[in-house]
Amino acid sequence: MRPATLTIHLGHLALNYRLLHKRAGSSEIMAVIKADAYGHGLFAVSDTLIQEGCKTFAVTDAAEGALLRQHTHHDINIILLSGIFDAEDALLCQTYKLTPVLSQLEQINHLKTAHYVGNVWLKIDTGMARIGVESLSAFITQMKDHPFNIVGLMSHLACADTPESPLNRMQLDAFRQLQQTTHFPAYSLLNSAGLIALSSQIETDVVRPGIALYGDEPIPSQPLGLKPVMQLGSKIMQIRPIKKGQSVSYGATWIAPTDMLIAVVALGYADGLPRLLSNQGQALHESGYLPIVGRICMDYCLLAVTSNTVQAGDEVIFFGYAQHAPTAAEVAQQCQTISYELFTGMQPRLTRHYL
Ligand SMILES: Cc1ncc(COP(=O)(O)O)c(C=O)c1O
């Protein structure tokens, strides 16, 4: 079997949840497990968090919510962060007891068409300018006379991971104002970075950590002691000698500076290894770090072998929780992206192991 493997450390997930739960104090945690739990596996992640006592989960849409509801026997709240897109989604909400987050007027019509009676969250835009109603009163007027139960008001921060950004103050002020002038059963604003950096500035009933659950420290200068949950690794298929001056891989972008050995690893961009790591990433081997040389291919990548202890069949790790392994955040930074994209880019063909 192809050895390209994604290992998900559920023990670390549980530990991260406990750290965040402690940090959240009396606020309830709505665990953000959208996009297949940021690529970590919706079912394994939700099962683990349910065991830790989590009762409220945020997924992307009705399809993901329905999958989760069918999977679990526990009476959890399933919140749809993207709300609903049509009346069929509204019907799924009714059938599977899913709570949509409403952010545009058409969604109310879809709920009415589907004769939805149940809970809804409202989302208001306080500065992110993505989704969220602009006028709460027009929205509430439209909802009048229909048996929706509004369970809370949420908004989302644009710059929580940059605590000093002036936009945070504006959004916090706007949300505080709403808390003072409206009467909803619950208010929610903070994501992972907000929970860590801004929770001393605002009291909310529900916090919505996502990335921190998966072990990425949202504010590196204020580490919580989170542990990485996902690890990407594979094995060396063969070791090849190459001559000084010989090029490797597509485009001949790397040339051997000396007679040396190259390790061919069964992991490529079709697994989710970013091609941008070509000629700049590295993998951790028992003997130390081996640099990625030449272009990453669809199914393979090549490592310069710097120790004679490296052998075919040896394991190499590209990011994860192993001691000295690069973190997902470090790897993401090398390819000008964020760990979120790295995690959600892991492809289904990787063998998944859950610890
Ligand atoms: C509305 C909403 N809340 C919470 C989160 C969780 O954010 P984070 O993963 O940064 O904690 C997200 C993620 O994108 C989101 O869209």
Side-chain angles (χ1 to χ4, degrees):
M1 192 171 64
R2 214 170 152 261
T5 302
L6 205 60
T7 312
I8 307 295
H9 198 308
L10 297 172
H12 286 177
L13 174 72
L15 175 102
N16 296 341
Y17 177 80
R18 291 197 285 272
L19 289 169
L20 291 164
H21 188 254
K22 199 163 154 208
R23 182 72 186 206
S26 59
S27 303
E28 188 195 348
I29 290 195
M30 180 190 292
V32 181
I33 58 168
K34 62 181 179 159
D36 197 30
Y38 291 36
H40 291 67
L42 182 67
F43 297 159
V45 165
S46 58
D47 288 348
T48 303
L49 297 179
I50 288 169
Q51 271 175 26
E52 290 301 314
C54 186
K55 292 192 169 57
T56 300
F57 295 87
V59 297
T60 308
D61 59 6
E64 203 169 35
L67 277 177
L68 179 56
R69 180 64 77 205
Q70 289 171 90
H71 167 75
T72 187
H73 304 300
H74 295 268
D75 185 23
I76 54 172
N77 304 310
I78 302 178
I79 317 299
L80 314 183
L81 285 182
S82 292
I84 51 169
F85 292 86
D86 49 34
E88 279 158 42
D89 281 353
L91 210 53
L92 287 174
C93 288
Q94 187 65 42
T95 308
Y96 293 106
K97 205 166 146 260
L98 310 173
T99 304
V101 177
L102 305 184
S103 58
Q104 51 194 87
L105 287 170
E106 305 81 68
Q107 292 173 323
I108 300 176
N109 297 332
H110 297 322
L111 291 175
K112 289 177 183 172
T113 306
H115 305 292
Y116 177 78
V117 282
N119 293 343
V120 297
W121 272 85
L122 299 189
K123 184 159 188 185
I124 187 150
D125 181 26
T126 52
M128 170 93 175
R130 186 176 62 175
I131 59 169
V133 297
E134 280 156 49
S135 158
L136 208 49
S137 54
F139 209 78
I140 301 221
T141 309
Q142 178 98 350
M143 290 179 78
K144 262 207 176 103
D145 307 325
H146 288 275
F148 307 139
N149 181 32
I150 303 175
V151 291
L153 179 71
M154 71 166 70
S155 191
H156 193 48
L157 296 170
C159 298
D161 55 356
T162 320
E164 64 284 3
S165 163
L167 191 50
N168 285 321
R169 197 147 59 84
M170 276 174 52
Q171 289 200 262
L172 287 172
D173 286 348
F175 200 72
R176 258 190 239 106
Q177 173 87 5
L178 284 162
Q179 285 177 307
Q180 284 157 13
T181 54
T182 60
H183 299 284
F184 291 102
Y187 292 86
S188 176
L189 178 66
L190 305 174
N191 60 355
S192 301
L195 170 59
I196 288 162
L198 302 167
S199 55
S200 59
Q201 297 179 42
I202 192 161
E203 259 182 52
T204 52
D205 308 283
V206 178
V207 292
R208 309 190 307 269
I211 197 71
L213 287 168
Y214 310 106
D216 197 356
E217 294 283 359
I219 310 280
S221 60
Q222 295 179 54
L224 271 195
L226 304 168
K227 293 239 161 80
V229 176
M230 180 186 283
Q231 180 152 290
L232 177 67
S234 190
K235 285 189 175 166
I236 295 173
M237 296 169 66
Q238 54 169 288
I239 307 272
R240 324 172 47 91
I242 55 163
K243 292 270 179 236
K244 177 179 177 182
Q246 200 179 337
S247 66
V248 303
S249 193
Y250 289 119
T253 60
W254 189 83
I255 298 191
T258 170
D259 288 359
M260 59 182 297
L261 297 173
I262 292 289
V264 182
V265 176
L267 189 78
Y269 61 77
D271 297 298
L273 184 69
R275 190 167 171 276
L276 277 171
L277 291 177
S278 298
N279 286 315
Q280 62 157 335
Q282 57 189 0
L284 178 68
H285 176 265
E286 210 178 48
S287 66
Y289 298 107
L290 305 180
I292 298 176
V293 292
R295 288 207 182 131
I296 291 170
C297 310
M298 190 180 286
D299 304 321
Y300 314 100
C301 63
L302 306 173
L303 306 175
V305 172
T306 46
S307 148
N308 57 11
T309 63
V310 181
Q311 290 181 356
D314 286 357
E315 192 187 4
V316 283
I317 294 165
F318 290 80
F319 66 83
Y321 48 79
Q323 208 188 3
H324 306 304
T327 66
E330 286 162 354
V331 171
Q333 203 176 16
Q334 279 186 303
C335 11
Q336 285 105 55
T337 185
I338 49 176
S339 57
Y340 303 61
E341 190 183 36
L342 194 63
F343 291 151
T344 54
M346 293 298 124
Q347 296 298 306
R349 75 177 196 173
L350 287 164
T351 303
R352 277 158 170 83
H353 283 313
Y354 289 90
L355 300 183

Tab-separated table of all heavy atoms in Angstrom, residues 97-147:
chain	number	residue	atom	x	y	z
A	97	LYS	N	-32.600	18.585	12.333
A	97	LYS	CA	-32.464	19.493	13.497
A	97	LYS	C	-31.106	20.219	13.433
A	97	LYS	O	-30.236	20.058	14.296
A	97	LYS	CB	-32.604	18.705	14.804
A	97	LYS	CG	-33.064	19.541	15.962
A	97	LYS	CD	-33.503	18.635	17.113
A	97	LYS	CE	-33.191	19.253	18.444
A	97	LYS	NZ	-32.010	18.782	19.103
A	98	LEU	N	-30.952	20.988	12.376
A	98	LEU	CA	-29.739	21.782	12.179
A	98	LEU	C	-30.099	23.243	12.385
A	98	LEU	O	-31.190	23.677	12.001
A	98	LEU	CB	-29.198	21.589	10.757
A	98	LEU	CG	-29.054	20.142	10.288
A	98	LEU	CD1	-28.671	20.096	8.810
A	98	LEU	CD2	-28.041	19.390	11.154
A	99	THR	N	-29.204	23.994	12.967
A	99	THR	CA	-29.473	25.408	13.250
A	99	THR	C	-28.713	26.294	12.268
A	99	THR	O	-27.482	26.389	12.355
A	99	THR	CB	-29.035	25.756	14.686
A	99	THR	OG1	-29.708	24.879	15.587
A	99	THR	CG2	-29.359	27.198	15.029
A	100	PRO	N	-29.434	26.924	11.328
A	100	PRO	CA	-28.704	27.778	10.382
A	100	PRO	C	-28.343	29.123	10.996
A	100	PRO	O	-29.066	29.637	11.850
A	100	PRO	CB	-29.713	27.963	9.242
A	100	PRO	CG	-31.053	27.811	9.887
A	100	PRO	CD	-30.878	26.869	11.047
A	101	VAL	N	-27.218	29.654	10.555
A	101	VAL	CA	-26.868	31.035	10.888
A	101	VAL	C	-27.378	31.874	9.714
A	101	VAL	O	-26.966	31.663	8.569
A	101	VAL	CB	-25.343	31.210	11.037
A	101	VAL	CG1	-25.001	32.674	11.314
A	101	VAL	CG2	-24.807	30.314	12.152
A	102	LEU	N	-28.273	32.805	10.000
A	102	LEU	CA	-28.890	33.593	8.924
A	102	LEU	C	-28.138	34.902	8.745
A	102	LEU	O	-27.835	35.600	9.718
A	102	LEU	CB	-30.361	33.874	9.248
A	102	LEU	CG	-31.225	32.642	9.532
A	102	LEU	CD1	-32.681	33.065	9.752
A	102	LEU	CD2	-31.133	31.618	8.406
A	103	SER	N	-27.870	35.223	7.488
A	103	SER	CA	-27.114	36.450	7.235
A	103	SER	C	-27.675	37.241	6.056
A	103	SER	O	-27.171	38.297	5.732
A	103	SER	CB	-25.652	36.113	6.963
A	103	SER	OG	-25.561	35.244	5.857
A	104	GLN	N	-28.691	36.697	5.379
A	104	GLN	CA	-29.307	37.462	4.292
A	104	GLN	C	-30.796	37.138	4.220
A	104	GLN	O	-31.230	36.026	4.560
A	104	GLN	CB	-28.592	37.222	2.967
A	104	GLN	CG	-28.406	35.779	2.595
A	104	GLN	CD	-27.412	35.599	1.461
A	104	GLN	OE1	-26.208	35.493	1.675
A	104	GLN	NE2	-27.916	35.556	0.244
A	105	LEU	N	-31.566	38.137	3.740
A	105	LEU	CA	-33.021	38.056	3.816
A	105	LEU	C	-33.601	36.851	3.068
A	105	LEU	O	-34.567	36.246	3.528
A	105	LEU	CB	-33.651	39.345	3.266
A	105	LEU	CG	-33.509	40.576	4.180
A	105	LEU	CD1	-33.938	41.844	3.461
A	105	LEU	CD2	-34.309	40.389	5.462
A	106	GLU	N	-33.005	36.486	1.934
A	106	GLU	CA	-33.567	35.369	1.142
A	106	GLU	C	-33.625	34.083	1.960
A	106	GLU	O	-34.457	33.214	1.710
A	106	GLU	CB	-32.729	35.073	-0.110
A	106	GLU	CG	-32.486	36.232	-1.053
A	106	GLU	CD	-31.364	37.124	-0.576
A	106	GLU	OE1	-30.214	36.688	-0.583
A	106	GLU	OE2	-31.642	38.266	-0.176
A	107	GLN	N	-32.721	33.964	2.913
A	107	GLN	CA	-32.697	32.730	3.708
A	107	GLN	C	-33.993	32.574	4.510
A	107	GLN	O	-34.451	31.455	4.738
A	107	GLN	CB	-31.483	32.735	4.640
A	107	GLN	CG	-30.166	32.622	3.864
A	107	GLN	CD	-28.946	32.806	4.748
A	107	GLN	OE1	-28.966	33.619	5.682
A	107	GLN	NE2	-27.901	32.065	4.460
A	108	ILE	N	-34.569	33.698	4.905
A	108	ILE	CA	-35.828	33.628	5.654
A	108	ILE	C	-36.911	33.028	4.760
A	108	ILE	O	-37.695	32.169	5.189
A	108	ILE	CB	-36.242	35.028	6.152
A	108	ILE	CG1	-35.145	35.580	7.070
A	108	ILE	CG2	-37.581	34.976	6.865
A	108	ILE	CD1	-35.399	36.991	7.533
A	109	ASN	N	-36.930	33.458	3.480
A	109	ASN	CA	-37.920	32.917	2.551
A	109	ASN	C	-37.733	31.420	2.346
A	109	ASN	O	-38.708	30.665	2.289
A	109	ASN	CB	-37.846	33.652	1.205
A	109	ASN	CG	-38.200	35.120	1.382
A	109	ASN	OD1	-38.961	35.478	2.287
A	109	ASN	ND2	-37.631	35.975	0.552
A	110	HIS	N	-36.480	30.983	2.254
A	110	HIS	CA	-36.229	29.542	2.098
A	110	HIS	C	-36.774	28.777	3.311
A	110	HIS	O	-37.368	27.712	3.165
A	110	HIS	CB	-34.725	29.253	1.971
A	110	HIS	CG	-34.088	29.873	0.765
A	110	HIS	ND1	-34.713	29.957	-0.451
A	110	HIS	CD2	-32.859	30.429	0.593
A	110	HIS	CE1	-33.910	30.539	-1.317
A	110	HIS	NE2	-32.776	30.837	-0.712
A	111	LEU	N	-36.587	29.337	4.487
A	111	LEU	CA	-37.080	28.664	5.701
A	111	LEU	C	-38.606	28.603	5.700
A	111	LEU	O	-39.204	27.592	6.064
A	111	LEU	CB	-36.589	29.398	6.960
A	111	LEU	CG	-35.081	29.314	7.250
A	111	LEU	CD1	-34.721	30.177	8.458
A	111	LEU	CD2	-34.647	27.868	7.512
A	112	LYS	N	-39.223	29.708	5.254
A	112	LYS	CA	-40.690	29.730	5.201
A	112	LYS	C	-41.198	28.704	4.197
A	112	LYS	O	-42.139	27.959	4.470
A	112	LYS	CB	-41.181	31.133	4.797
A	112	LYS	CG	-40.993	32.188	5.887
A	112	LYS	CD	-41.446	33.536	5.371
A	112	LYS	CE	-41.197	34.622	6.406
A	112	LYS	NZ	-41.452	35.967	5.851
A	113	THR	N	-40.549	28.647	3.029
A	113	THR	CA	-40.959	27.685	1.984
A	113	THR	C	-40.907	26.257	2.527
A	113	THR	O	-41.758	25.432	2.221
A	113	THR	CB	-40.008	27.793	0.764
A	113	THR	OG1	-39.990	29.144	0.353
A	113	THR	CG2	-40.450	26.901	-0.386
A	114	ALA	N	-39.903	25.987	3.337
A	114	ALA	CA	-39.733	24.623	3.861
A	114	ALA	C	-40.520	24.406	5.160
A	114	ALA	O	-40.412	23.340	5.767
A	114	ALA	CB	-38.257	24.348	4.104
A	115	HIS	N	-41.303	25.409	5.563
A	115	HIS	CA	-42.081	25.349	6.827
A	115	HIS	C	-41.179	24.994	7.999
A	115	HIS	O	-41.522	24.174	8.852
A	115	HIS	CB	-43.237	24.344	6.706
A	115	HIS	CG	-44.140	24.625	5.552
A	115	HIS	ND1	-44.957	25.740	5.504
A	115	HIS	CD2	-44.330	23.975	4.383
A	115	HIS	CE1	-45.602	25.761	4.359
A	115	HIS	NE2	-45.248	24.697	3.649
A	116	TYR	N	-40.018	25.620	8.002
A	116	TYR	CA	-39.058	25.351	9.084
A	116	TYR	C	-39.536	25.964	10.383
A	116	TYR	O	-39.899	27.145	10.433
A	116	TYR	CB	-37.685	25.937	8.710
A	116	TYR	CG	-36.629	25.776	9.787
A	116	TYR	CD1	-35.984	24.567	9.971
A	116	TYR	CD2	-36.298	26.849	10.624
A	116	TYR	CE1	-35.017	24.419	10.958
A	116	TYR	CE2	-35.331	26.707	11.613
A	116	TYR	CZ	-34.701	25.482	11.774
A	116	TYR	OH	-33.746	25.333	12.747
A	117	VAL	N	-39.569	25.159	11.417
A	117	VAL	CA	-39.788	25.708	12.760
A	117	VAL	C	-38.638	25.212	13.626
A	117	VAL	O	-38.467	24.019	13.798
A	117	VAL	CB	-41.133	25.258	13.390
A	117	VAL	CG1	-42.293	26.035	12.835
A	117	VAL	CG2	-41.367	23.766	13.208
A	118	GLY	N	-37.853	26.114	14.096
A	118	GLY	CA	-36.714	25.664	14.896
A	118	GLY	C	-35.809	26.834	15.196
A	118	GLY	O	-36.162	27.999	14.989
A	119	ASN	N	-34.614	26.478	15.668
A	119	ASN	CA	-33.660	27.506	16.093
A	119	ASN	C	-32.929	28.140	14.915
A	119	ASN	O	-32.665	27.470	13.912
A	119	ASN	CB	-32.615	26.888	17.019
A	119	ASN	CG	-33.226	26.433	18.331
A	119	ASN	OD1	-34.337	26.855	18.683
A	119	ASN	ND2	-32.526	25.584	19.049
A	120	VAL	N	-32.603	29.391	15.094
A	120	VAL	CA	-31.698	30.068	14.145
A	120	VAL	C	-30.753	30.971	14.943
A	120	VAL	O	-31.104	31.472	16.010
A	120	VAL	CB	-32.447	30.946	13.100
A	120	VAL	CG1	-33.361	30.103	12.220
A	120	VAL	CG2	-33.225	32.079	13.756
A	121	TRP	N	-29.534	31.131	14.440
A	121	TRP	CA	-28.638	32.187	14.903
A	121	TRP	C	-28.721	33.300	13.863
A	121	TRP	O	-28.984	33.025	12.679
A	121	TRP	CB	-27.188	31.704	14.936
A	121	TRP	CG	-26.734	31.037	16.207
A	121	TRP	CD1	-26.890	29.724	16.534
A	121	TRP	CD2	-26.014	31.654	17.293
A	121	TRP	NE1	-26.304	29.474	17.758
A	121	TRP	CE2	-25.760	30.649	18.247
A	121	TRP	CE3	-25.556	32.945	17.553
A	121	TRP	CZ2	-25.079	30.888	19.436
A	121	TRP	CZ3	-24.873	33.188	18.738
A	121	TRP	CH2	-24.648	32.176	19.669
A	122	LEU	N	-28.492	34.519	14.269
A	122	LEU	CA	-28.376	35.627	13.317
A	122	LEU	C	-26.923	36.061	13.285
A	122	LEU	O	-26.232	36.049	14.310
A	122	LEU	CB	-29.236	36.818	13.742
A	122	LEU	CG	-30.736	36.595	13.858
A	122	LEU	CD1	-31.440	37.936	14.071
A	122	LEU	CD2	-31.288	35.899	12.634
A	123	LYS	N	-26.481	36.453	12.096
A	123	LYS	CA	-25.112	36.951	11.990
A	123	LYS	C	-25.151	38.384	11.491
A	123	LYS	O	-25.820	38.694	10.501
A	123	LYS	CB	-24.313	36.096	11.021
A	123	LYS	CG	-22.862	36.519	10.961
A	123	LYS	CD	-22.018	35.405	10.422
A	123	LYS	CE	-20.555	35.738	10.539
A	123	LYS	NZ	-19.733	34.721	9.907
A	124	ILE	N	-24.416	39.231	12.170
A	124	ILE	CA	-24.383	40.640	11.787
A	124	ILE	C	-22.962	41.016	11.408
A	124	ILE	O	-21.995	40.519	11.992
A	124	ILE	CB	-24.951	41.536	12.921
A	124	ILE	CG1	-25.069	42.977	12.453
A	124	ILE	CG2	-24.135	41.447	14.195
A	124	ILE	CD1	-26.182	43.738	13.122
A	125	ASP	N	-22.872	41.858	10.405
A	125	ASP	CA	-21.551	42.306	9.969
A	125	ASP	C	-21.126	43.508	10.804
A	125	ASP	O	-21.814	44.525	10.843
A	125	ASP	CB	-21.606	42.684	8.484
A	125	ASP	CG	-20.241	43.118	7.992
A	125	ASP	OD1	-19.228	42.688	8.581
A	125	ASP	OD2	-20.178	43.892	7.026
A	126	THR	N	-19.989	43.386	11.484
A	126	THR	CA	-19.492	44.528	12.273
A	126	THR	C	-18.181	45.069	11.698
A	126	THR	O	-17.505	45.868	12.339
A	126	THR	CB	-19.255	44.110	13.747
A	126	THR	OG1	-18.421	42.932	13.760
A	126	THR	CG2	-20.553	43.840	14.474
A	127	GLY	N	-17.799	44.603	10.493
A	127	GLY	CA	-16.568	45.149	9.919
A	127	GLY	C	-15.781	44.202	9.040
A	127	GLY	O	-14.817	44.594	8.398
A	128	MET	N	-16.188	42.936	9.022
A	128	MET	CA	-15.486	41.955	8.188
A	128	MET	C	-15.898	42.109	6.716
A	128	MET	O	-15.135	41.774	5.811
A	128	MET	CB	-15.830	40.558	8.722
A	128	MET	CG	-15.411	39.411	7.864
A	128	MET	SD	-13.798	38.793	8.338
A	128	MET	CE	-13.670	37.383	7.260
A	129	ALA	N	-17.127	42.617	6.509
A	129	ALA	CA	-17.657	42.807	5.152
A	129	ALA	C	-17.614	41.518	4.337
A	129	ALA	O	-17.184	41.517	3.191
A	129	ALA	CB	-16.933	43.946	4.424
A	130	ARG	N	-18.038	40.440	4.974
A	130	ARG	CA	-18.144	39.173	4.249
A	130	ARG	C	-19.618	38.794	4.291
A	130	ARG	O	-20.398	39.341	3.538
A	130	ARG	CB	-17.233	38.114	4.901
A	130	ARG	CG	-17.165	36.826	4.126
A	130	ARG	CD	-16.182	35.820	4.730
A	130	ARG	NE	-16.515	35.395	6.084
A	130	ARG	CZ	-15.857	34.456	6.750
A	130	ARG	NH1	-14.817	33.850	6.189
A	130	ARG	NH2	-16.198	34.111	7.977
A	131	ILE	N	-20.026	37.912	5.228
A	131	ILE	CA	-21.459	37.682	5.335
A	131	ILE	C	-21.946	38.285	6.642
A	131	ILE	O	-21.168	38.504	7.570
A	131	ILE	CB	-21.845	36.185	5.232
A	131	ILE	CG1	-21.180	35.348	6.319
A	131	ILE	CG2	-21.500	35.635	3.855
A	131	ILE	CD1	-21.732	33.940	6.413
A	132	GLY	N	-23.248	38.514	6.730
A	132	GLY	CA	-23.813	39.129	7.926
A	132	GLY	C	-24.767	40.235	7.512
A	132	GLY	O	-24.503	40.956	6.554
A	133	VAL	N	-25.879	40.326	8.244
A	133	VAL	CA	-26.864	41.370	7.911
A	133	VAL	C	-26.289	42.725	8.277
A	133	VAL	O	-25.471	42.855	9.185
A	133	VAL	CB	-28.206	41.158	8.640
A	133	VAL	CG1	-28.843	39.866	8.207
A	133	VAL	CG2	-28.028	41.187	10.148
A	134	GLU	N	-26.718	43.729	7.522
A	134	GLU	CA	-26.276	45.083	7.855
A	134	GLU	C	-27.278	45.740	8.788
A	134	GLU	O	-26.917	46.440	9.708
A	134	GLU	CB	-26.085	45.897	6.577
A	134	GLU	CG	-24.739	45.577	5.924
A	134	GLU	CD	-24.738	45.865	4.449
A	134	GLU	OE1	-25.155	46.964	4.066
A	134	GLU	OE2	-24.333	44.962	3.678
A	135	SER	N	-28.582	45.503	8.518
A	135	SER	CA	-29.603	46.095	9.387
A	135	SER	C	-30.374	44.990	10.097
A	135	SER	O	-31.104	44.216	9.469
A	135	SER	CB	-30.565	46.957	8.563
A	135	SER	OG	-31.773	47.099	9.271
A	136	LEU	N	-30.195	44.959	11.393
A	136	LEU	CA	-30.847	43.927	12.198
A	136	LEU	C	-32.360	44.114	12.210
A	136	LEU	O	-33.123	43.155	12.148
A	136	LEU	CB	-30.284	44.017	13.618
A	136	LEU	CG	-30.264	42.774	14.467
A	136	LEU	CD1	-29.666	41.586	13.741
A	136	LEU	CD2	-29.483	43.051	15.745
A	137	SER	N	-32.792	45.390	12.240
A	137	SER	CA	-34.234	45.630	12.406
A	137	SER	C	-35.013	45.154	11.180
A	137	SER	O	-36.083	44.541	11.312
A	137	SER	CB	-34.515	47.101	12.713
A	137	SER	OG	-33.914	47.888	11.725
A	138	ALA	N	-34.478	45.413	9.969
A	138	ALA	CA	-35.176	44.965	8.755
A	138	ALA	C	-35.286	43.447	8.763
A	138	ALA	O	-36.314	42.871	8.387
A	138	ALA	CB	-34.394	45.416	7.521
A	139	PHE	N	-34.261	42.823	9.244
A	139	PHE	CA	-34.210	41.361	9.280
A	139	PHE	C	-35.258	40.806	10.243
A	139	PHE	O	-36.002	39.884	9.931
A	139	PHE	CB	-32.801	40.957	9.733
A	139	PHE	CG	-32.367	39.646	9.183
A	139	PHE	CD1	-31.932	39.528	7.877
A	139	PHE	CD2	-32.383	38.504	9.971
A	139	PHE	CE1	-31.518	38.318	7.352
A	139	PHE	CE2	-31.979	37.287	9.467
A	139	PHE	CZ	-31.549	37.189	8.155
A	140	ILE	N	-35.298	41.433	11.407
A	140	ILE	CA	-36.230	40.935	12.433
A	140	ILE	C	-37.676	41.172	11.979
A	140	ILE	O	-38.549	40.325	12.210
A	140	ILE	CB	-35.914	41.609	13.781
A	140	ILE	CG1	-34.474	41.248	14.115
A	140	ILE	CG2	-36.926	41.230	14.852
A	140	ILE	CD1	-34.108	40.912	15.475
A	141	THR	N	-37.917	42.299	11.321
A	141	THR	CA	-39.262	42.587	10.820
A	141	THR	C	-39.686	41.484	9.846
A	141	THR	O	-40.799	40.958	9.924
A	141	THR	CB	-39.278	43.951	10.067
A	141	THR	OG1	-38.678	44.902	10.916
A	141	THR	CG2	-40.673	44.358	9.673
A	142	GLN	N	-38.774	41.113	8.972
A	142	GLN	CA	-39.066	40.076	7.972
A	142	GLN	C	-39.354	38.721	8.629
A	142	GLN	O	-40.094	37.903	8.110
A	142	GLN	CB	-37.844	39.954	7.048
A	142	GLN	CG	-37.952	38.892	5.995
A	142	GLN	CD	-38.388	39.480	4.666
A	142	GLN	OE1	-38.775	40.638	4.592
A	142	GLN	NE2	-38.348	38.671	3.618
A	143	MET	N	-38.757	38.521	9.797
A	143	MET	CA	-38.932	37.225	10.466
A	143	MET	C	-40.201	37.159	11.304
A	143	MET	O	-40.601	36.075	11.741
A	143	MET	CB	-37.730	36.954	11.377
A	143	MET	CG	-36.466	36.681	10.607
A	143	MET	SD	-35.095	36.402	11.705
A	143	MET	CE	-35.399	34.738	12.210
A	144	LYS	N	-40.789	38.321	11.528
A	144	LYS	CA	-41.979	38.389	12.421
A	144	LYS	C	-43.067	37.421	11.951
A	144	LYS	O	-43.179	37.142	10.777
A	144	LYS	CB	-42.533	39.823	12.400
A	144	LYS	CG	-42.069	40.626	13.584
A	144	LYS	CD	-43.076	41.721	13.932
A	144	LYS	CE	-42.598	42.412	15.177
A	144	LYS	NZ	-41.987	43.700	14.877
A	145	ASP	N	-43.854	36.942	12.863
A	145	ASP	CA	-44.996	36.059	12.578
A	145	ASP	C	-44.584	34.677	12.079
A	145	ASP	O	-45.393	33.962	11.526
A	145	ASP	CB	-45.962	36.690	11.553
A	145	ASP	CG	-46.375	38.079	11.977
A	145	ASP	OD1	-46.503	38.285	13.206
A	145	ASP	OD2	-46.516	38.947	11.110
A	146	HIS	N	-43.339	34.358	12.198
A	146	HIS	CA	-42.929	32.995	11.835
A	146	HIS	C	-42.244	32.363	13.035
A	146	HIS	O	-41.522	33.034	13.762
A	146	HIS	CB	-41.998	33.009	10.622
A	146	HIS	CG	-42.760	33.350	9.385
A	146	HIS	ND1	-43.431	32.418	8.650
A	146	HIS	CD2	-43.006	34.552	8.815
A	146	HIS	CE1	-44.046	33.023	7.662
A	146	HIS	NE2	-43.814	34.318	7.731
A	147	PRO	N	-42.508	31.087	13.224
A	147	PRO	CA	-42.085	30.481	14.491
A	147	PRO	C	-40.605	30.084	14.521
A	147	PRO	O	-40.261	28.955	14.810
A	147	PRO	CB	-42.979	29.240	14.578
A	147	PRO	CG	-43.277	28.892	13.162
A	147	PRO	CD	-43.230	30.146	12.368
